Amino acid sequence: MLNVMNFQENGLYISIFPPKGEEIEPTKTNKTRVNITNKNHEGGIRLEVSLDLPLELKTWCKSSSRNVSIGYQQSQEIEFLWSIPPQALPGTYNYNLRIRFLRSTSFYAFHPKLRQLTILRTKIKPQISNIEPSFVITPASSSTKPIALSSREILNLEIDVHNRSKNVDNYRISTDLENSWYTIHYPEALQKVGAIDGNEALNLNPNQQGKINLTINPPADTVAGNYKPEITLYSLNSPELFLKKILYLNIPPQYILEAELKIILNKVSYKKAQYKINLINRGNTFRAIDLRAYSSDEDECCEYYLKPGSVRIPPNKTREVELEVTPNAKQKRPFIATKQFNFQVDLRDLKDHPLPKNLPLKSSLFWRSRPLWQTILLLLLALGCIGGVGWLIWRIINRPQLEPELTLRSEKTEYYYNGDPIAVNWTVKNRERINKILIFDQERGTKDINNTKCYVFKPELETENCYLIDKFISPQNTTPDKSYGECISTDNNSQTISCSGVIFNHAQKVEDYTFKLQAFRINQAPQVITSETVSILPIPTLEVLEPLKVSPDKDRYQPRERIVLKFEVSDVENNFVGKDKIFLIVNDKRRQTPIISKQNVNQFCSQVHTNSYSCEIPISDLREGQNTVEIELEHDPNEHGEIKKKIERHKIPKQIVVKTPIKLNYFTVDGSSNPAIEVEPDTIIRISWSVTGNNLEIFLGECGQGTFGSKGNKTFTLPAKETVTCTLTASDESGQRTQLGQIKVRAKEKPKPEPPVIIQDPLDLQN
């Protein structure tokens, strides 16, 4: 077999030829072949196969990347053609063979395979004076007429070698077949299997011919196909000289497949039956087989799971397929006898090669009956059902008359004064035994006809003050009096009636009320039920829910600064009650108009919860100094069912202090505001200042004793070499002092008088 690099990775079987790398001479061509077999990816794959070449090699292999699609259990061969230019330098060049999954299976990754491209030196045949040897292979073969050779069959080849030189020479041969394929026999030499030792050769005298026997015996697992091994003749005298010839062999295909179905578990109660199918390829070709299981009976009663459903079997290899069989959902487990399901497994060759003669493979599944206790339980259940049906028939024939069921309740247990009227709901079940229903106030009784609701259930019983119940049932509602509410029938035969919104307008005082429902039954005493107590409550007054706050919250405020009073008040049923008002009091003076009332509540307040408002009131009319702020809640008694007016006051915990901030307008010495100045000594210096603020006292530090007004001027004289610091400080009415500015004043030194200049006569100098 030819030398090939084989390996498996990510479910693929990959073969690369040549195994380690290419050896090519300049001006020659060669191929790198990559054969990929998809063994595990049932959905098929798409690959990118490429040669990662350095820059200098890219022009030697123009098509270095290929995309291929390979189906399950199929193979694909990719060829890369090398064309070496004549100027290529001899040497070894490294590159990588890369394989990458495309599309959906991109999470697989391959390790790149390092390969070497060897550029050989161009062999220059030496000028040999003698004639080169020759050899002939018998029998002859060609690409069109290869020698047919079956696996395990022996082929004997005779290689006739002619020494046409004038010297004695030794000759030996080699081939690129694997060692297990061939045996070389030299005349009068020891037989050697596989590679030949250098001491074994054919010795020929000048112009003498000899024979070398080459026996080829392919192994049993040899794959069918065409093979082109090279046979090379070497000369001992001329080591640089070797002759090559190609031997063309054809190993014809043999299609021998054996199939066997083994039972692992075929008698089951609740598990899946398990079988194993052994497929043995005794031929010399790859077999791609699809498997299918189906029922041998008329109806398909089972579900079949083949793992895998398709297999690819190399020559002289065995593949196992697991088969699980289970009855489908339509089948029910038997209670008494074991149930048998017959099925068979058939094979299909994807290339229509011959299949085994024992197909289809047949077997059976035996489904055991249920346990005895389940059979007994089923019988008991059947007897119970028969008894239950008999009891229902007896119950229908002897059905007793049902007693009426009455309910009476108020829509709410608490109402507010001057609010919605009290409304009650009532329900009656099994109405066929009732003639009339009365609903009334327990305290007033049925004598108050105007506030007693009377319903009758038969048309002949209807009177001026008693209405037929059918008139109030929707959708035929023809209500003669809306205070009787609306009724609905909750079943098809109108045996259950529910009425809602039955209004009693007389209940308006602040007190408790209880209502009764009296049902008059046929030939029986009236049935009476009582509702729960319903209370009419006085309307709650407005109530401050949290302490008053001001925003922004700080110790002092400036005049005309925006100050907002914040508080939260309660509110009944999402609306300010009646005539309740809130007034603002600033420094014990109440504003004439309320800041919050029912008419202007939305101007300053917003609803934050179901029954509360958050209010923000701007405060004005604040005076300089300390201010007190309050709110006054005034409640009108007519709105709450009370006797006299009620007033509440809420005060801000702290006083609001308004104070004008102290501001320096200017501070100069002789018109200069520099922090340090120089002046002429004994001259008049003028200090000027201006400060904004209320009730301020001004201090000048070393430049003036006493206090001064917010704006003014002052003069003083500074002797020579003197320095003073004029510090401007303001004190407010609370006595707090604030330094506003500081200027250092220094007097210049007086110039010293210059000494007198004495001028002498030149004549005196000569003497």
Side-chain angles (χ1 to χ4, degrees), residues 60-251:
W60 300 354
C61 183
K62 295 185 178 179
S63 180
S64 60
S65 178
R66 302 284 180 82
N67 293 342
V68 294
S69 299
I70 307 176
Y72 179 54
Q73 298 291 347
Q74 294 184 2
S75 300
Q76 185 77 29
E77 185 171 275
I78 304 99
E79 291 186 349
F80 298 98
L81 179 63
W82 296 92
S83 180
I84 308 303
Q87 66 272 18
L89 297 177
T92 301
Y93 302 86
N94 294 330
Y95 70 92
N96 287 315
L97 172 67
R98 296 184 181 274
I99 302 175
R100 183 172 67 89
F101 277 104
L102 301 177
R103 291 204 303 267
S104 61
T105 53
S106 59
F107 51 86
Y108 290 103
F110 286 91
H111 297 289
K113 300 299 179 182
L114 179 64
R115 294 179 57 79
Q116 290 183 340
L117 171 64
T118 303
I119 305 301
L120 303 174
R121 295 183 181 274
T122 303
K123 294 182 179 180
I124 302 175
K125 294 184 178 180
Q127 299 295 327
I128 302 175
S129 59
N130 301 327
I131 300 175
E132 296 179 353
S134 64
F135 72 99
V136 177
I137 302 174
T138 304
S141 64
S142 66
S143 59
T144 57
K145 293 183 179 181
I147 299 173
L149 182 63
S150 301
S151 300
R152 297 192 181 92
E153 184 181 353
I154 297 175
L155 173 63
N156 292 316
L157 298 175
E158 289 185 355
I159 301 174
D160 296 319
V161 182
H162 186 192
N163 180 12
R164 296 188 294 180
S165 67
K166 296 180 181 181
N167 301 319
V168 177
D169 203 348
N170 292 343
Y171 298 96
R172 61 185 181 88
I173 62 172
S174 68
T175 178
D176 55 3
L177 289 171
E178 287 189 355
N179 294 341
S180 60
W181 274 58
Y182 67 91
T183 304
I184 299 175
H185 302 270
Y186 292 100
E188 298 179 1
L190 294 176
Q191 178 179 329
K192 178 96 174 160
V193 178
I196 302 302
D197 193 348
N199 296 326
E200 298 174 354
L202 174 63
N203 300 321
L204 293 179
N205 292 321
N207 201 25
Q208 184 183 6
Q209 294 183 3
K211 293 184 179 182
I212 302 174
N213 293 324
L214 174 61
T215 302
I216 297 178
N217 183 15
D221 58 350
T222 304
V223 180
N226 293 319
Y227 295 84
K228 299 184 292 183
E230 291 183 349
I231 298 178
T232 306
L233 179 68
Y234 297 92
S235 170
L236 179 63
N237 292 343
S238 303
E240 74 282 355
L241 177 64
F242 56 88
L243 301 178
K244 289 187 177 183
K245 286 190 178 183
I246 297 177
L247 178 64
Y248 295 91
L249 301 176
N250 174 260
I251 298 180

Side-chain angles (χ1 to χ4, degrees), residues 9 11 47 68 83 92 94 189 197 205 225 276 283 333 451 510 525 535 572 676 745:
E9 191 171 355
L47 301 173
V68 294
S83 180
T92 301
N94 294 330
D197 193 348
N205 292 321
K276 183 179 292 184
R333 188 176 174 186
N451 290 293
V510 178
S535 302
V572 179
V745 183

Side-chain angles (χ1 to χ4, degrees), residues 271-527:
K271 293 183 178 180
K272 294 180 180 180
Q274 297 178 2
Y275 306 83
K276 183 179 292 184
I277 303 169
N278 289 333
L279 300 177
I280 306 171
N281 182 8
R282 299 195 183 281
N284 59 359
T285 62
F286 283 88
R287 301 296 297 271
I289 304 297
D290 277 349
L291 295 91
R292 184 174 72 92
Y294 55 93
S295 175
S296 301
D297 302 326
E298 182 179 1
D299 298 326
E300 193 64 65
C301 302
C302 297
E303 295 179 355
Y304 309 94
Y305 305 93
L306 289 163
K307 301 178 183 178
S310 298
V311 293
R312 189 170 188 271
I313 314 172
N316 288 289
K317 297 294 183 181
T318 301
R319 291 290 183 265
E320 292 182 351
V321 177
E322 296 179 358
L323 172 61
E324 293 182 349
V325 183
T326 182
N328 58 31
K330 295 181 180 180
Q331 303 302 316
K332 304 300 179 183
R333 188 176 174 186
F335 282 92
I336 301 176
T338 299
K339 195 171 184 179
Q340 179 176 346
F341 301 98
N342 300 317
F343 66 92
Q344 55 193 20
V345 179
D346 209 350
L347 309 180
R348 184 176 72 89
D349 192 289
L350 297 181
K351 297 183 180 179
D352 296 327
H353 295 324
L355 294 170
K357 295 181 180 181
N358 62 335
L359 296 181
L361 306 175
K362 297 183 179 181
S363 188
S364 299
L365 180 149
F366 297 93
W367 201 10
R368 291 175 174 156
S369 60
R370 296 176 182 270
L372 181 60
W373 67 268
Q374 292 187 4
T375 304
I376 296 174
L377 182 62
L378 179 64
L379 293 175
L380 294 176
L381 182 61
L383 292 175
C385 291
I386 295 172
V389 171
W391 181 84
L392 288 175
I393 295 173
W394 179 86
R395 182 71 177 174
I396 293 172
I397 295 174
N398 301 280
R399 182 170 64 91
Q401 292 184 344
L402 299 176
E403 290 292 331
E405 296 181 12
L406 304 172
T407 59
L408 177 66
R409 58 182 179 83
S410 174
E411 291 185 353
K412 296 187 296 184
T413 58
E414 293 182 351
Y415 289 81
Y416 287 106
Y417 176 77
N418 278 353
D420 296 332
I422 295 177
V424 297
N425 305 331
W426 62 274
T427 302
V428 58
K429 294 182 180 180
N430 308 319
R431 57 171 278 190
E432 71 272 7
R433 302 192 63 190
I434 295 178
N435 286 333
K436 182 171 64 173
I437 285 180
L438 296 179
I439 304 175
F440 53 90
D441 185 350
Q442 178 178 337
E443 183 177 351
R444 296 193 176 210
T446 58
K447 295 181 180 180
D448 188 355
I449 299 176
N450 294 329
N451 290 293
T452 299
K453 312 300 179 185
C454 179
Y455 304 86
V456 294
F457 290 80
K458 296 181 180 180
E460 61 269 18
L461 299 178
E462 188 174 11
T463 62
E464 181 180 357
N465 296 318
C466 289
Y467 299 104
L468 183 64
I469 187 65
D470 295 339
K471 293 183 178 181
F472 303 98
I473 297 177
S474 301
Q476 299 87 9
N477 191 340
T478 56
T479 306
D481 188 346
K482 292 185 178 180
S483 66
Y484 277 68
E486 293 184 357
C487 302
I488 58 173
S489 177
T490 58
D491 53 14
N492 295 330
N493 54 4
S494 298
Q495 290 300 307
T496 301
I497 296 177
S498 296
C499 297
S500 60
V502 181
I503 298 174
F504 290 89
N505 291 314
H506 74 282
Q508 296 181 353
K509 295 182 180 180
V510 178
E511 60 183 12
D512 295 336
Y513 296 86
T514 303
F515 298 91
K516 285 189 175 183
L517 184 149
Q518 187 176 18
F520 294 87
R521 299 178 292 177
I522 299 174
N523 299 326
Q524 284 184 319
Q527 183 178 353

